[in-house]
Amino acid sequence: KRNFNIMARPVTLLGHLVAISIAVLILVWILHFREGVAFKSDNKLKILNLHVLLMVIGLILFGGQAIMAYKSIPAKKYWRKVVHLGLHAIALAAAIFGICMSFKFHHDIQLTNLVSLHSWFGLITVCLYGLQWVVGFFTYFFPGAESRRRASLMPWHVYFGIFVFLMATCTAELGLLQSLDTWFLLGHTQENLIINFTGLLIFLYAATVVLTVILPPLY
Ligand code: HEM
Ligand code: ASC
């Protein structure tokens, strides 16, 4: 009889490839089709672009890699865990800084904050992400809960981890959709194609990351 078992490690390879493709597309979009990034500039769109870059590369790409760490890193469990929480810390820091950039953009051009569905999703996502990180850290790393508590919280940790990661990808899709002058751009322009392909790849990334969680590890 044939055996249809698929192990997670090869799927994490696809996850890395998709992540690199998203990084390339988003960099081409922001550096070539838009005006690049800046923390301080008279061209306020550069500050908004910094927000986009931090959210996609920081929160989504690093966050997904953090989740896949238990299936992608060929090392002992302890080191996988250190990579898992470390990459999540980078993702969270980028997300908090990235949110600040969107508020700075709104402040500088005197736009009202928290109007769009994208902004509501984004704020909820980052709050839940921070909560997930803190609870995960104290339960599973330092000082660590007793083993029965660790075990009983694990399904919740995995469920909320997937949930908040998917919320982050939804927020990014809403952000792409809203990309300022979308209506002006509509048409078969190169920039429009890049935005759409980025959105498709983010969806494929989410599908891949969640699949690695469900598949058994390859030792
Ligand atoms: C799995 C710890 C933060 C999402 C795990 C596991 C541990 C852990 C011990 C179980 C791995 C296993 O037994 O195979 C931690 C610690 C964190 C943290 C110490 C923070 C300091 C996060 C965050 C997220 C997250 C912020 C998501 C936003 C997940 C997911 C899994 C997981 C989806 C399942 C991975 C799999 O089974 O392939 N984490 N975690 N974790 N964690 Fe975390
Ligand atoms: C941990 C860890 C796990 C869980 C397990 C309880 O710290 O690495 O896999 O807690 O002990 O499910």
Side-chain angles (χ1 to χ4, degrees), residues 173-184:
E173 302 287 6
L174 288 169
L176 285 173
L177 189 64
Q178 196 180 284
S179 264
L180 243 66
D181 41 3
T182 302
W183 303 113
F184 176 72

Side-chain angles (χ1 to χ4, degrees), residues 65-80:
Q65 296 296 317
I67 290 173
M68 291 194 299
Y70 285 111
K71 308 290 164 67
S72 64
I73 307 275
K76 289 228 166 70
K77 176 77 181 283
Y78 174 81
W79 292 110
R80 293 176 170 180

Side-chain angles (χ1 to χ4, degrees), residues 11 15 63-65 67-68 165 204-214:
V11 182
Q65 296 296 317
I67 290 173
M68 291 194 299
F165 175 71
L204 180 60
Y205 189 54
T208 308
V209 168
V210 173
L211 181 58
T212 71
V213 174
I214 288 163

Side-chain angles (χ1 to χ4, degrees), residues 62-103:
F62 275 74
Q65 296 296 317
I67 290 173
M68 291 194 299
Y70 285 111
K71 308 290 164 67
S72 64
I73 307 275
K76 289 228 166 70
K77 176 77 181 283
Y78 174 81
W79 292 110
R80 293 176 170 180
K81 197 188 287 188
V82 169
V83 171
H84 180 72
L85 75 88
L87 289 177
H88 275 311
I90 294 171
L92 181 60
I96 292 170
F97 188 58
I99 294 261
C100 291
M101 289 307 101
S102 60
F103 280 109

Side-chain angles (χ1 to χ4, degrees), residues 70 77 81 139-140 147 150-152 154:
Y70 285 111
K77 176 77 181 283
K81 197 188 287 188
T139 308
Y140 297 109
S147 69
R150 288 180 182 228
S152 63
M154 190 41 73

